[in-house]
Amino acid sequence: MNKLKKKILILPIVVALISILSLVAFSFIYEPISYKPYNTFLNDLASNSVESVYYTTSPKITVKIANNVYYETDNPRVDTFKESILTQGVEVLEQSYMSPLKIIPIVLLGSSVGFILIFMIKGSNLSKGKLKSVDSLHAEAVEEMTLNFESVAGNEEAKESVMDVVDFLKNPEKYSSYGAKMPRGVILYGEPGTGKTLLAKAVAGEANVPFYAVSGSDFIQVYVGVGASRIRQLFKKAKSHGKAVIFIDEIDAIGKKRSGNASGGSDERDQTLNALLTEMSGFAEKEGIVVMAATNRLDMLDDALLRPGRFDRHIEVSLPDVQAREKILNLHMKNKPFDKININDWAKKTSYFSGAKLEHLVNEAAIFACKDESPLIEDIHLDSAFNVVVAGHEKKNRSHIREEDRKITAYHEAGHALISLIVLPEEKVSKVTIIPTTKGAGGYTMSIPEDKLYQNKEYILNRIMVLLGGRAAEEILFGKEKITTGASSDLKRTTNTIRNMITTYGMGDSLGLLTEEELGDLSHHHKMAILDECKNTVDTLYASVKDILKENMESLHCISNNLLEYETLDEEKLINCTIKNSENKKLKEI
Ligand code: ADP
Ligand code: ZN
């Protein structure tokens, strides 16, 4: 349909271009109308040879005499002019003269431009672009057919859970003959990049039905009522094809829990949500339409969405474990020329990587190999890619960095690394560098966390200490006045983690086992108590971090000096520094 539209547009565009060209050519070729004195005109008038006069208020008038000859003469500007020539039987045209050779291309140009404009306005459905994604879905739907469950590595439970949705899409009649109700709505939830969209596409591909994708954010921030009508259009379109998978990404944008005070919600969102619910209950069982939606957080969604008959099947798509990571890496490396790569090793190194991040890693490695003109992608390329994925590209031009800043960065990173080695010895610190990245970090310390299902309180506190290590080292070495902005993202993460401990994980005293979210609006008094507890926790941890660093000053100097010399240190060099100063003091209990 879209291609056809484009073809239809070609004709008026060509006509418009030809018209413009002929107008330009015309103005070059055509000789301007000759000028004759007013007396000549009067003579012609007297001899009855004037056929018509083009009479306007302009200084010149155009005169037509026999044999289609035209000339210009001066406008006499007398009130009785028109009457006097009319009485002599001359036609008076109150318009300026235009050659028919010019009129034709102008008319053609005008009508083709008009045609194009009307077509474009109609095509865009008067919307600001977004609705086009619904319009242009058909083409996309065909493309996606190629994906199937083989394109999704790992995620076995999730695949298992959608298997019968595929079966239902293939034979909706079978299910309805048993009186079985199939889910109309499936919610896929999990962290970004874990393959929720991929899984939905695979369902459509396996069932061989069209795939309609929209994003919840397309429906908000438009005029009231537009969101709802977009929903209706989407369903109408999908139904016109019979079976289909409708995929709504970021469903939370329209289906977020309504806030406590009922009147305060956004009307537009409610209307859109209601339209969605109405449409979903509107189609018959045997129609074979399944709505799949994705969100990062299931607990944010409005209960109305999750009720039976709506999105009643909830499937978690989780971050891949080490085996799944190996499968995903294998899948994405399949068609690339890799050399002796130990994929199992890389799967181990990439804990907490999502499928999308793994794909990104493999792709970056391929780019590095290509830049090197290496025939095969090797471990070193994956190494560089890993750094890029985790920390961003290295800044190439570093000449402008002041020596003083390099030193501060070196101690800051040494602080992180040293605290990590001491309080989290089971985690490998794979790299410390003071090479700034294009993402804005002055340097970074990279450690490889273990795959863990849960994080316990002790571990979380230790992680916070590692985060605080950078600022603490700065303060110890250069004094309170010289601390820098370099720690801002560390402090942000610290604050976030501590807050979560107290308000969400039930690990604090001010709320105990209660969670802030469920309690709703807290009184000022309670908010202050939470704030106090956050502040005390971070102060205590910071004090311990400073103590640990002071007790291990030699290691700190050693790591920083090495960093200043080599810029980047691996695990081995780091351990060398700490071995010399090996009696690690026991952590103070908090
Ligand atoms: P989400 O919708 O959960 O944010 P996507 O489905 O958009 O994630 O994933 C982005 C890309 O990451 C996919 O197109 C795919 O290439 C890759 N990917 C993610 N998970 C997997 C997986 N389990 N197997 C293979 N590729 C994956
Ligand atoms: Zn830092």
Side-chain angles (χ1 to χ4, degrees):
M1 181 68 182
N2 256 342
K3 285 201 178 126
L4 192 71
K5 274 185 186 175
K6 280 186 190 140
K7 274 192 189 149
I8 291 175
L9 274 181
I10 289 177
L11 185 67
I13 289 174
V14 169
V15 171
L17 284 178
I18 292 177
S19 317
I20 292 171
L21 278 178
S22 56
L23 280 175
V24 172
F26 185 81
S27 64
F28 278 112
I29 299 163
Y30 187 76
E31 285 179 18
I33 299 174
S34 59
Y35 170 80
K36 288 185 181 164
Y38 192 62
N39 272 340
T40 318
F41 167 67
L42 290 182
N43 287 340
D44 283 345
L45 205 58
S47 61
N48 269 342
S49 44
V50 176
E51 282 181 9
S52 37
V53 171
Y54 291 83
Y55 176 56
T56 62
T57 52
S58 61
K60 298 270 188 298
I61 57 174
T62 309
V63 180
K64 183 186 179 196
I65 54 174
N67 300 328
N68 269 336
V69 178
Y70 293 82
Y71 63 83
E72 270 183 352
T73 189
D74 293 293
N75 188 340
R77 295 204 194 280
V78 283
D79 291 344
T80 53
F81 178 72
K82 184 175 172 182
E83 194 202 349
S84 68
I85 53 174
L86 277 174
T87 51
Q88 299 197 30
V90 174
E91 183 189 21
V92 177
L93 297 148
E94 287 198 49
Q95 65 194 51
S96 42
Y97 168 73
M98 195 185 282
S99 155
L101 284 173
K102 245 181 181 171
I103 293 176
I104 295 169
I106 287 179
V107 169
L108 282 176
L109 181 65
S111 46
S112 46
V113 167
F115 186 81
I116 294 171
L117 279 180
I118 290 171
F119 211 87
M120 278 171 40
I121 292 172
K122 259 182 80 182
S124 71
N125 267 327
L126 293 168
S127 76
K128 284 194 267 153
K130 287 290 187 190
L131 197 54
K132 267 204 276 182
S133 61
V134 176
D135 237 26
S136 59
L137 285 172
H138 185 70
E140 196 184 341
V142 179
E143 259 174 56
E144 306 302 349
M145 298 294 205
T146 49
L147 286 174
N148 57 24
F149 282 151
E150 271 172 32
S151 331
V152 188
N155 279 339
E156 300 304 333
E157 300 85 358
K159 274 197 267 184
E160 190 73 43
S161 312
V162 291
M163 218 63 109
D164 55 345
V165 176
V166 173
D167 195 38
F168 163 70
L169 279 166
K170 282 183 174 159
N171 313 295
E173 300 82 12
K174 183 172 102 188
Y175 283 83
S176 65
S177 72
Y178 281 90
K181 282 204 169 85
M182 276 313 290
R184 298 167 176 214
V186 177
I187 287 199
L188 303 168
Y189 65 97
E191 301 210 19
T194 43
K196 298 180 288 294
T197 314
L198 188 68
L199 195 64
K201 283 179 182 170
V203 167
E206 286 279 332
N208 204 18
V209 301
F211 179 76
Y212 291 90
V214 287
S215 171
S217 54
D218 293 352
F219 293 96
I220 48 164
Q221 286 173 348
V222 287
Y223 313 107
V224 174
V226 174
S229 92
R230 283 181 184 180
I231 289 273
R232 285 190 286 272
Q233 272 191 324
L234 173 66
F235 276 80
K236 202 169 136 201
K237 192 139 192 181
K239 276 188 207 164
S240 70
H241 284 280
K243 302 174 181 181
V245 169
I246 295 178
F247 178 69
I248 306 178
D249 203 1
E250 297 176 51
I251 181 88
D252 32 307
I254 37 178
K256 218 192 237 150
K257 268 201 176 78
R258 289 169 233 215
S259 55
N261 45 334
S263 60
S266 131
D267 260 4
E268 172 54 15
R269 220 185 47 213
D270 288 354
Q271 281 194 20
T272 310
L273 180 58
N274 288 338
L276 177 64
L277 297 177
T278 315
E279 288 296 333
M280 282 183 71
S281 41
F283 48 75
E285 288 292 324
K286 53 183 183 304
E287 262 180 297
I289 290 182
V290 171
V291 187
M292 300 185 83
T295 178
N296 298 343
R297 288 186 53 191
L298 189 63
D299 57 325
M300 303 256 289
L301 296 182
D302 199 302
D303 294 334
L305 262 178
L306 306 177
R307 252 174 241 148
R310 292 163 175 181
F311 288 99
D312 44 12
R313 189 175 288 201
H314 312 151
I315 298 173
E316 181 175 10
V317 186
S318 48
L319 282 175
D321 60 13
V322 69
Q323 282 174 1
R325 290 200 298 272
E326 190 168 340
K327 285 185 196 157
I328 297 174
L329 283 171
N330 267 315
L331 182 79
H332 288 289
M333 287 160 89
K334 208 168 57 190
N335 299 319
K336 296 191 174 75
F338 273 96
D339 180 41
K340 292 186 253 125
I341 303 270
N342 187 337
I343 296 190
N344 184 272
D345 256 8
W346 277 101
K348 281 190 191 139
K349 271 195 223 175
T350 46
S351 39
Y352 298 108
F353 269 45
S354 67
K357 217 164 165 183
L358 290 168
E359 185 191 10
H360 184 42
L361 173 74
V362 173
N363 191 49
E364 287 287 335
I367 293 173
F368 274 114
C370 178
K371 276 191 196 154
D372 273 7
E373 294 182 8
S374 152
L376 295 170
I377 306 172
E378 294 171 31
D379 245 333
I380 46 163
H381 304 124
L382 270 168
D383 266 329
S384 315
F386 187 75
N387 289 328
V388 167
V389 173
V390 175
H393 287 270
E394 285 182 355
K395 258 199 183 143
K396 286 282 177 285
N397 179 5
R398 311 199 278 274
S399 52
H400 61 281
I401 302 171
R402 291 186 309 160
E403 195 49 38
E404 192 186 330
D405 289 343
R406 278 187 84 229
K407 205 166 163 195
I408 293 176
T409 312
Y411 275 98
H412 179 106
E413 296 307 329
H416 283 310
L418 185 57
I419 296 292
S420 181
L421 288 176
I422 294 172
V423 304
L424 287 172
E426 67 280 6
E427 271 185 20
K428 196 173 139 151
V429 180
S430 57
K431 177 177 173 178
V432 189
T433 179
I434 56 165
I435 299 177
T437 69
T438 48
K439 278 192 189 167
Y444 59 90
T445 301
M446 194 146 76
S447 58
I448 297 177
E450 294 180 312
D451 263 311
K452 277 191 189 138
L453 189 51
Y454 301 115
Q455 298 182 335
N456 62 29
K457 182 173 174 182
E458 187 187 11
Y459 175 80
I460 299 176
L461 291 173
N462 286 335
R463 275 243 69 97
I464 299 173
M465 290 175 77
V466 175
L467 284 171
L468 295 173
R471 163 58 70 82
E474 282 181 44
E475 191 188 317
I476 292 173
L477 262 292
F478 308 102
K480 258 201 153 76
E481 304 304 313
K482 289 280 188 310
I483 51 179
T484 68
T485 52
S488 63
S489 73
D490 297 337
L491 300 182
K492 218 167 159 173
R493 281 170 62 193
T494 301
T495 311
N496 189 299
T497 316
I498 292 184
R499 191 191 160 88
N500 278 337
M501 284 180 69
I502 294 168
T503 61
T504 317
Y505 308 147
M507 294 178 178
D509 293 327
S510 40
L511 289 183
L513 297 176
L514 303 176
T515 65
E516 188 187 23
E517 196 188 341
E518 295 305 318
L519 288 172
D521 262 349
L522 288 176
S523 70
H524 178 70
H525 168 77
H526 284 108
K527 282 185 187 155
M528 289 311 289
I530 293 173
L531 186 64
D532 278 346
E533 194 181 353
C534 289
K535 179 81 175 40
N536 289 336
T537 312
V538 78
D539 285 350
T540 317
L541 289 171
Y542 190 62
S544 326
V545 169
K546 282 200 287 190
D547 286 346
I548 297 174
L549 290 179
K550 281 179 190 158
E551 284 163 26
N552 294 278
M553 275 316 261
E554 271 165 53
S555 304
L556 189 67
H557 288 309
C558 172
I559 298 173
S560 318
N561 289 336
N562 273 307
L563 274 173
L564 286 168
E565 186 169 351
Y566 304 109
E567 291 196 316
T568 301
L569 305 181
D570 58 13
E571 194 190 13
E572 201 182 324
K573 281 222 175 69
L574 278 173
I575 305 267
N576 279 344
C577 275
T578 50
I579 282 174
K580 289 184 210 147
N581 182 21
S582 62
E583 17 161 33
N584 295 331
K585 315 291 181 304
K586 267 260 178 281
L587 253 178
K588 260 211 245 162
E589 275 295 336
I590 19 169

